[in-house]
Amino acid sequence: MFIIAVLWTAFFVVNFNIAMMIPLLPFIQSDIGLSPGQAATVLAAFPVTALIVNLALGPLIDRFGRKRFIVTGAAGCGVVLLLTAGAHSATLIALGRAATGLFMPMIGASVYAAMADYIPAPARARVAGYVTSAAPIAFLCSMSLGTFLGGLLAWQLPLILLGMVALTLAIAASRLPATNPDALSDAPITAQAYRRRLLSLSTDGGASFLLAAYFLWAAATFIFLGLYPSWLVQHALAAQGPAVVGTMLLIGEIGGLIGALLSGRLIGMFRHPFGLGVFVLAGTAAVVLLMPFGNGMFAYQAIGYALFAFGRDLTLALMLGSAMLLVAASQRGSLNAVLNAVYQTGATVGGIASAWLYGARQDFLANAGLASALLAVSAALLWRLTKVSEPASDPS
């Protein structure tokens, strides 16, 4: 239970950090007078740095152990977040976010690799669902705390709270068992080793299909989710008001929590661990495609968003939890890090595409149509994965 709690907290910190800047940015702009360009820099500083760091971390995590990087990353994030809360200029805040992008991937790239180190293979799908439930809970907390604390008190408070949680995580993670030496890599850390490791992951049949499916899923998620709240407030549910729409979205995230918690039980119903993903992604694609046709229908949008969140977080638990079955124990950190980098890239591409598509068509048909198509292709890739890669036994 202690190990699960530490890994859950680690994944919570990662997701809270990603989501919290969305509600905080308007209050930061109001407090220190950020220009649109400065606001964009503050938002971009973390994902740009994190993308590069994720690609660099994998072989290091596999060589020196997942526990070490969770402790180091959590301690570094705790200090940086507290320093960022004390910043009073756009430059210092952007630097703080970039520094967070250096330490936070150490946690994110280690969580599911560490889970494979500590949790027996038969229980991993269930535990992955527990750990992934941190994502919707982090979203709920970050949106509500960001809005209420940032608006009523000070925008610095969520950063301070997250910094304290990160420091607590560092202390707790230091008590985790050491990584089994047999699960570590003894390969030298050279440019050639990096190239060979990344090439092997990108060309291996099972891993390559998973990486492609994960990229398309991430892009589709943000193509849909990026401007969906704006469409609701401006058009679909304009008569309800922003407060009602915000409450609907927060309650809808309970669907995501249920999806994450049920993932472990549902995976057991399929011969191949990724077989469930084919059906969930196809169902999510259908839900997303139908959302624009519920203009003005509150119950329609509330149920649809809850179903979307259910499929999104169930898929996240499935992909990250079962991914470690595709590689040897000494490559888990590398695969986890590459998955993080793929997610960052897909989310960035999806966010940019979301804004462009919504600008072209404010009836949301373009966003929903492209997101649905990408989810369908992602489902097809997972189906292909089930044909080329048999479920692996515990590699450790």
Side-chain angles (χ1 to χ4, degrees):
M1 183 59 70
F2 172 73
I3 290 174
I4 296 175
V6 170
L7 297 179
W8 189 96
T9 304
F11 203 55
F12 175 89
V13 167
V14 170
N15 284 276
F16 191 102
N17 173 73
I18 292 173
M20 72 175 178
M21 292 307 293
I22 297 174
L24 287 185
L25 189 61
F27 303 119
I28 297 174
Q29 286 180 295
S30 175
D31 183 33
I32 64 177
L34 294 181
S35 68
Q38 290 172 326
T41 300
V42 168
L43 286 179
F46 171 78
V48 170
T49 307
L51 172 61
I52 298 170
V53 172
N54 270 308
L55 292 176
L57 277 177
L60 294 171
I61 292 173
D62 287 331
R63 178 69 180 273
F64 298 108
R66 274 66 82 168
K67 170 187 173 180
R68 182 174 300 180
F69 278 88
I70 294 177
V71 173
T72 303
C77 283
V79 173
V80 169
L81 286 165
L82 294 177
L83 291 175
T84 304
H88 296 286
S89 71
T91 300
L92 290 177
I93 294 174
L95 288 174
R97 295 303 294 160
T100 305
L102 173 64
F103 289 105
M104 194 64 72
M106 296 182 186
I107 306 173
S110 302
V111 172
Y112 284 87
M115 186 182 69
D117 289 340
Y118 300 128
I119 306 299
R124 284 182 200 156
R126 174 175 53 83
V127 174
Y130 297 156
V131 173
T132 306
S133 70
I137 292 176
F139 179 84
L140 285 167
C141 293
S142 64
M143 294 298 289
S144 58
L145 288 176
T147 301
F148 292 117
L149 295 182
L152 298 178
L153 298 174
W155 61 264
Q156 294 92 341
L157 286 179
L159 278 78
I160 293 172
L161 290 174
L162 183 60
M164 297 303 294
V165 173
L167 291 175
T168 302
L169 170 63
I171 296 171
S174 68
R175 298 178 56 199
L176 288 172
T179 304
N180 186 340
D182 293 336
L184 298 178
S185 171
D186 57 2
I189 306 299
T190 64
Q192 184 179 6
Y194 271 96
R195 184 168 57 251
R196 184 169 58 250
R197 180 65 59 87
L198 294 176
L199 182 63
S200 67
L201 290 174
S202 61
T203 57
D204 174 77
S208 63
F209 283 122
L210 175 62
L211 292 174
Y214 193 52
F215 171 81
L216 293 177
W217 170 82
T221 296
F222 281 86
I223 287 172
F224 173 77
L225 196 54
L227 271 298
Y228 177 67
S230 297
W231 176 66
L232 291 177
V233 171
Q234 296 171 2
H235 300 286
L237 299 179
Q240 303 291 337
V244 173
V245 171
T247 301
M248 185 206 85
L249 294 174
L250 290 174
I251 294 175
E253 284 298 318
I254 296 174
L257 177 60
I258 295 172
L261 293 176
L262 287 181
S263 61
R265 295 182 181 274
L266 296 177
I267 287 173
M269 299 169 60
F270 292 79
R271 181 189 65 82
H272 196 286
F274 290 101
L276 171 64
V278 178
F279 292 94
V280 174
L281 283 168
T284 306
V287 169
V288 167
L289 186 61
L290 293 173
M291 294 299 275
F293 299 99
N295 200 341
M297 302 166 62
F298 178 82
Y300 185 103
Q301 294 298 330
I303 294 171
Y305 184 74
L307 291 173
F308 164 79
F310 176 88
R312 179 198 64 202
D313 289 311
L314 194 156
T315 302
L316 180 64
L318 166 74
M319 288 191 177
L320 293 180
S322 300
M324 298 304 121
L325 294 172
L326 299 177
V327 297
S330 60
Q331 291 185 310
R332 289 170 182 160
S334 293
L335 179 57
N336 203 161
V338 172
L339 284 168
N340 276 10
V342 167
Y343 178 82
Q344 292 283 348
T345 305
T348 301
V349 171
I352 294 172
S354 179
W356 184 83
L357 291 168
Y358 186 63
R361 292 199 58 147
Q362 295 194 355
D363 57 7
F364 210 65
L365 283 171
N367 291 71
L370 182 56
S372 178
L374 294 181
L375 288 170
V377 176
S378 182
L381 287 169
L382 284 192
W383 177 83
R384 185 76 178 110
L385 189 156
T386 65
K387 303 302 179 184
V388 301
S389 174
E390 290 297 318
S393 59
D394 184 4
S396 62

